[in-house]
Amino acid sequence: NAGVTQTPKFQVLKTGQSMTLQCAQDMNHNSMYWYRQDPGMGLRLIYYSASEGTTDKGEVPNGYNVSRLNKREFSLRLESAAPSQTSVYFCASRDRGGMNTEAFFGQGTRLTVV
Amino acid sequence: AQSVTQLGSHVSVSEGALVLLRCNYSSSVPPYLFWYVQYPNQGLQLLLKYTSAATLVKGINGFEAEFKKSETSFHLTKPSAHMSDAAEYFCAVSPNTGGFKTIFGAGTRLFVKA
């Protein structure tokens, strides 16, 4: 079982470049999430999609955009990368059962902006 | 608004000693509570969750946590630490009255000494 798959695993960008982080889940989950993980700050929610066709801002949405392409895929785009966006990015998904169900995480994308 | 606080960014125990990782939450109503574990260079995995059934929750790898409403706490314990328990642990809170945001604590890194 693949679960949640993120690509790429590593990326180095120059300031001002753009890129898209891809995420796909094969568990037929309704909700999908993008988090960033920074030392001492835990995971902070960037954007989420409660169901196909909807997206909403999380705690730290500035500088990012998302697309829920279909039920399986949820991408995160950096239009003009900044050094402050150097982080580890995690995609997660959750079943329709509600907020008492666990979230399943991908392996992460380690992004460095120079 | 919900929030979660983990006391201690680093905890060090000897192999065989008690593990205690602290988590306190802030919410107007008791939320759903989770503990996740993250091993190096991996995504997060669910250890256990509280969903308003039993207040003492047992998880994988011998971990358990007790929900105490009066103390707004959900501390994680394990009677005897093993070297393989060395990892980072995250407490998380999800709303049970609507909404789709899961909020994570800053994390506690557990070191286990031989």
Side-chain angles (χ1 to χ4, degrees), chain A residues 12-113:
Chain A
V12 179
L13 288 178
K14 293 182 179 178
T15 297
Q17 286 185 318
S18 62
M19 80 162 295
T20 300
L21 281 65
Q22 307 286 354
C23 174
Q25 52 91 7
D26 62 2
M27 296 171 283
N28 201 35
H29 286 172
N30 274 5
S31 303
M32 297 186 73
Y33 305 79
W34 276 105
Y35 290 90
R36 59 178 289 174
Q37 183 180 24
D38 302 291
M41 305 191 75
L43 275 75
R44 292 181 292 170
L45 183 63
I46 304 171
Y47 270 94
Y48 65 100
S49 171
S51 61
E52 186 179 358
T54 69
T55 60
D56 284 286
K57 295 178 180 179
E59 303 169 75
V60 289
N62 291 345
Y64 305 95
N65 284 302
V66 291
S67 295
R68 183 74 182 268
L69 304 170
N70 48 55
K71 192 170 186 178
R72 291 186 64 249
E73 299 173 285
F74 187 40
S75 63
L76 178 72
R77 183 162 179 83
L78 286 69
E79 291 291 352
S80 178
S84 61
Q85 294 178 304
T86 293
S87 187
V88 181
Y89 292 85
F90 287 99
C91 177
S93 69
R94 173 182 266 113
D95 199 0
R96 64 167 56 244
M99 298 307 291
N100 60 342
T101 58
E102 72 176 282
F104 291 83
F105 286 81
Q107 299 271 40
T109 295
R110 189 173 296 274
L111 175 67
T112 301
V113 183

Side-chain angles (χ1 to χ4, degrees), chain B residues 59-79:
Chain B
I60 61 172
N61 300 339
F63 283 92
E64 62 182 37
E66 185 173 8
F67 171 71
K68 292 187 176 181
K69 183 178 178 181
S70 61
E71 299 178 7
T72 61
S73 69
F74 190 56
H75 301 332
L76 181 70
T77 61
K78 182 174 180 178

Side-chain angles (χ1 to χ4, degrees), chain B residues 17-79:
Chain B
L18 171 72
V19 175
L20 171 60
L21 304 181
R22 301 178 187 272
C23 173
N24 288 88
Y25 69 91
S26 173
S27 178
S28 56
V29 296
Y32 301 124
L33 293 156
F34 304 79
W35 276 100
Y36 287 84
V37 60
Q38 183 182 33
Y39 298 103
N41 299 315
Q42 294 189 26
L44 279 69
Q45 306 170 36
L46 181 71
L47 267 182
L48 49 80
K49 64 180 180 181
Y50 167 75
T51 59
S52 74
T55 56
L56 182 61
V57 181
K58 295 187 184 299
I60 61 172
N61 300 339
F63 283 92
E64 62 182 37
E66 185 173 8
F67 171 71
K68 292 187 176 181
K69 183 178 178 181
S70 61
E71 299 178 7
T72 61
S73 69
F74 190 56
H75 301 332
L76 181 70
T77 61
K78 182 174 180 178

